[in-house]
């Protein structure tokens, strides 16, 4: 049934007016969301890397019930030292990178992801870079294509690695995938913008 919105029939007008208001409100909401997304797309924020990682890892375990081994005391110590990174205000990009790295490691792990994924991390280059290393034991072979930096993985559809590559490029992260026998390590190097310091005062987004 088609309704003429320009009708002079008052009863029809009363019937359709609530729906017109709903549509108008939804258009306004969509406009607001689009403007917010475009703003977030091109603006950045500072976050405490290890505070975010600590929260992320605990949330990951609670959500997926996968045990990722890491040094809890070390990550707490590093969080206190406030190693800061610069990420898009839409922090979901950083989360997507981590999600794909850990999900790939868990999916291809010989131990079905229960005990086979290990996270290690260190600060390099005089506190200018943080390197994360995610290691798992897997039944697969990889080879790196240095020209495109996309990995040809025999048991993958490449989508996750391509997404990681594009987002890392956008955020100026460096990454590499190394295989030694059946041990596979994903290396992610993240530039630090502020040296860790208990006295530093950062008005950033802390997760």
């Amino acid at each position: 049934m088609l309704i003429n919105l320009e009708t002079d029939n008052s009863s029809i007008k009363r019937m359709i007016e609530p729906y017109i208001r709903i549509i108008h409100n939804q258009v306004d909401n969509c406009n607001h969301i689009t403007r917010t997304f475009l703003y977030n797309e091109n603006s950045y924020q500072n976050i405490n890397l290890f505070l975010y990682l600590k929260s992320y890892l605990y949330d990951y375990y609670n959500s997926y019930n996968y045990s990722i081994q890491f040094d809890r005391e070390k990550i707490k110590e590093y969080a206190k030292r406030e190693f800061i990174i610069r990420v898009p205000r839409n922090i979901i990009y950083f989360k997507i990178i981590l999600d794909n790295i850990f999900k790939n490691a868990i999916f291809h792990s010989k131990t079905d992801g229960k005990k086979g994924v290990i996270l290690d991390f260190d600060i390099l280059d005089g506190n200018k870079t943080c390197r994360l290393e995610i290691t798992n034991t897997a039944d697969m072979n990889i080879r790196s294509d240095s020209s495109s930096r996309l990995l040809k993985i025999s048991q993958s559809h490449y989508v996750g690695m391509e997404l990681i590559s594009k987002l890392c490029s956008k955020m100026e992260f460096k990454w590499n995938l190394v295989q030694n026998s059946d041990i596979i390590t994903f290396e992610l190097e993240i530039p630090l913008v502020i040296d860790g310091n208990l006295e530093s005062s950062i008005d950033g987004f802390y997760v």
Side-chain angles (χ1 to χ4, degrees):
M1 175 181 175
L2 297 177
I3 298 177
N4 181 4
L5 298 181
E6 296 180 354
T7 180
D8 291 328
N9 188 309
S10 59
S11 63
I12 293 179
K13 280 188 173 182
R14 286 195 299 272
M15 180 181 69
I16 65 176
E17 277 179 354
Y19 299 101
I20 296 298
R21 285 196 294 271
I22 291 173
I23 293 171
H24 185 270
N25 290 337
Q26 290 298 322
V27 170
D28 283 346
N29 288 338
C30 289
N31 183 51
H32 174 71
I33 290 170
T34 301
R35 289 177 179 272
T36 301
F37 179 81
L38 290 175
Y39 169 76
N40 289 341
E41 178 81 6
N42 297 297
S43 61
Y44 289 80
Q45 64 178 330
N46 292 337
I47 67 167
N48 182 321
L49 171 59
F50 290 98
L51 197 60
Y52 179 86
L53 276 178
K54 184 174 72 170
S55 175
Y56 173 87
L57 291 167
Y58 286 122
D59 286 346
Y60 199 96
Y61 175 79
N62 291 333
S63 299
Y64 298 99
N65 198 29
Y66 287 135
S67 177
I68 300 169
Q69 298 180 62
F70 63 97
D71 189 330
R72 285 167 169 75
E73 293 305 315
K74 184 177 178 182
I75 206 170
K76 288 178 183 178
E77 175 192 344
Y78 277 31
K80 290 178 182 178
R81 294 173 62 186
E82 293 189 359
F83 289 106
I84 306 300
I85 66 171
R86 184 171 180 262
V87 296
R89 191 163 294 277
N90 190 346
I91 200 170
I92 191 65
Y93 294 153
F94 187 36
K95 184 177 185 300
I96 289 172
I97 292 174
L98 295 177
D99 281 349
N100 278 276
I101 294 172
F102 283 112
K103 285 177 181 177
N104 279 339
I106 290 167
F107 179 77
H108 294 293
S109 176
K110 279 184 177 179
T111 54
D112 298 323
K114 298 303 181 184
K115 295 292 183 182
V117 178
I118 301 172
L119 168 66
D120 197 10
F121 43 87
D122 213 343
I123 305 299
L124 311 173
D125 303 328
N127 292 343
K128 294 180 180 179
T129 305
C130 172
R131 181 168 65 199
L132 306 181
E133 294 184 349
I134 297 90
T135 301
N136 66 294
T137 304
D139 288 317
M140 59 186 297
N141 291 312
I142 63 172
R143 61 183 180 86
S144 177
D145 180 349
S146 58
S147 62
S148 67
R149 292 190 61 79
L150 297 183
L151 299 178
K152 311 304 181 184
I153 301 178
S154 59
Q155 300 176 30
S156 171
H157 295 294
Y158 320 135
V159 176
M161 298 308 302
E162 183 174 359
L163 188 58
I164 289 171
S165 181
K166 289 183 181 299
L167 291 178
C168 282
S169 177
K170 177 181 178 64
M171 298 172 66
E172 299 183 351
F173 294 175
K174 295 179 181 179
W175 66 273
N176 193 23
L177 199 58
V178 179
Q179 181 168 11
N180 182 8
S181 186
D182 60 349
I183 305 297
I184 297 177
T185 301
F186 190 104
E187 299 173 347
L188 181 66
E189 292 192 0
I190 304 173
L192 299 171
V193 295
I194 298 174
D195 185 11
N197 190 324
L198 284 172
E199 282 73 41
S200 61
S201 177
I202 309 301
D203 184 17
F205 179 70
Y206 294 89
V207 179

